[in-house]
Amino acid sequence: MTEQSGKSPVGIIGGTGLTSLSDLRITGEESVTTAWGEPSSSLLRGQLGDQPVVFLSRHGNPHRIPPHQVNYRANIQALHDAGARVVVGVNAVGGIHGDMGPAHIVVPDQLIDYTWGRESTFFEGDLAEVTHIDFTWPYDQEAREVLIESARLAGVPFSAFGVYGATQGPRLETAAEIRRMERDGCDIVGMTGMPEAVLAAERGLRYVSLGLVVNWAAGKTDHIITMAEIEEAIAQGMSGVKQILEGSMEKLGRLSPTP
């Protein structure tokens, strides 16, 4: 399904606060279901300039679904069925790299999956054949370049690289786990990067992550992580996330579908 303008909508997965983008006109809300069950929330459609967009709240509205219980398959399928061929996953993450502190924005280029037990593929069950997808580069490079250009034009401090370490949650990590992840090469840590990215790849979507660092990872400071500091970092960094999204939607919408 596509918008009346003839353009495919750009899908955005994140929190409900993202729908306060400037110049965004909300055009409708749809409760949908998929062959993989119910997505986390209804789909909220809108128009940002000439570009249609469709939002999905990853943790539900209100925020109630923990990361390990998100129905990632239904979420990706719902956006695919809604006509999206480019998807931006906005992720709250912890900073491991020394330059990636609270309120910093990261456009990651790689990831390492530490999750377990999640429904992580569409290719299972009664299959006609086994399917293996290439996942060498988990994030679409053309979509990354659009976000990077938008961040530069907006003057938003950001990093144009980063290895995202995806953990199971819902608990935060131990200091020892973060030390191991740092040895593995991780720059940021979060709980929602997988299997969202691989499911998007299986459905042929251009998928890119926009990470907002909301705290230093465990052991990177001498104090425990609190919700107060996370909320403060979100308040400080969300304006930059919105500026990047606002400046990139039209160009993301012009990207051709993957072959």
Side-chain angles (χ1 to χ4, degrees), residues 107-218:
V107 183
D109 60 331
Q110 274 294 338
L111 64 79
I112 299 175
D113 186 11
Y114 300 94
T115 66
W116 50 270
R118 300 184 181 190
E119 303 291 350
S120 59
T121 182
F122 290 112
F123 300 129
E124 63 181 14
D126 186 16
L127 300 176
E129 61 181 358
V130 176
T131 301
H132 303 284
I133 65 161
D134 181 84
F135 202 51
T136 305
W137 306 106
Y139 303 112
D140 183 82
Q141 183 58 31
E142 289 186 74
R144 288 187 69 251
E145 290 171 357
V146 170
L147 294 186
I148 289 167
E149 180 187 22
S150 178
R152 286 174 175 156
L153 290 174
V156 175
F158 78 105
S159 293
F161 71 94
V163 178
Y164 182 130
T167 58
Q168 180 70 0
R171 67 167 178 84
L172 297 175
E173 300 74 33
T174 69
E177 287 170 333
I178 294 299
R179 289 195 298 271
R180 181 189 70 163
M181 294 177 71
E182 188 167 20
R183 290 193 298 271
D184 288 348
C186 296
D187 299 301
I188 53 177
V189 56
M191 302 175 189
T192 57
M194 284 290 284
E196 194 169 275
V198 71
L199 291 169
E202 288 187 350
R203 278 294 175 259
L205 304 180
R206 292 182 181 269
Y207 178 86
V208 65
S209 171
L210 187 59
L212 174 61
V213 180
V214 299
N215 58 273
W216 283 111

